[in-house]
Amino acid sequence: MPVSESTSSSRPRVGGASVRKAKLPDAVNIFDLVNSLSGDGTLLRRNYAEICENIRDFAVAESPVEGDSGGVFLGCGALHLYGPHLAEVRSIVVKPEAKGQGAGGRLLRALLEEAEEQKVTAVCLFTRIPDFFFHFGFRVVDRTTLPDKIYKDCQTCPRLYACDEVAMVRGPLPRIAVLGPSRIAQPELVKLQTGVIHHTDV
């Protein structure tokens, strides 16, 4: 998954956003921004402890401030790794006042670059704005082709049977699943755990 522009550098970008790996002090800003959009179902609600536990999954976008050691928080995104077969872009969002600064695109490129560094073959996401992600090589797929995602989040989501998000994938569809048992039958998938181990008394 070649990435045309690296955004993982922490060096400031003049006139726009820079992207860096998140650190624990960023958890408050991430918590506030993600949960500000959870009421209408745009993002899944995250509690503060969960964000702290998974802070290494996150990247943050900042607007450089001249003469200051830190930048202004503009947005965040996370990359959740299921295994070499699949990663998921999660909680990618920018503040309303950051629209038009390129922060969303730079965040996404940084997460895709990280997936490439981890040798992940496919990246998925669920979104209400598929047009944005088409520009980055994602395509719309049937959500049932992503059983790891279904088992991790969807089966416990209150919007399971009224979901208005589109499932998208960049790269080949996974042919294995590591989470389960899945309630959605996928006969074409290679099951990692099949059969029963029988113990015999000696």
Side-chain angles (χ1 to χ4, degrees), residues 1 83-87 115-116 118-123 169-174:
M1 294 184 300
H85 66 297
L86 184 66
E116 183 180 4
Q118 292 288 344
K119 309 298 183 187
V120 176
T121 57
V123 178
V169 167
R170 187 178 193 259
L173 283 175

Side-chain angles (χ1 to χ4, degrees), residues 58-98:
F58 281 89
V60 297
E62 295 179 324
S63 178
V65 176
E66 188 174 344
D68 193 356
S69 59
V72 176
F73 176 81
L74 298 178
C76 63
L79 185 75
H80 178 78
L81 301 176
Y82 292 99
H85 66 297
L86 184 66
E88 180 191 358
V89 170
R90 299 165 60 87
S91 303
I92 186 164
V93 61
V94 297
K95 297 172 107 176
E97 60 267 30

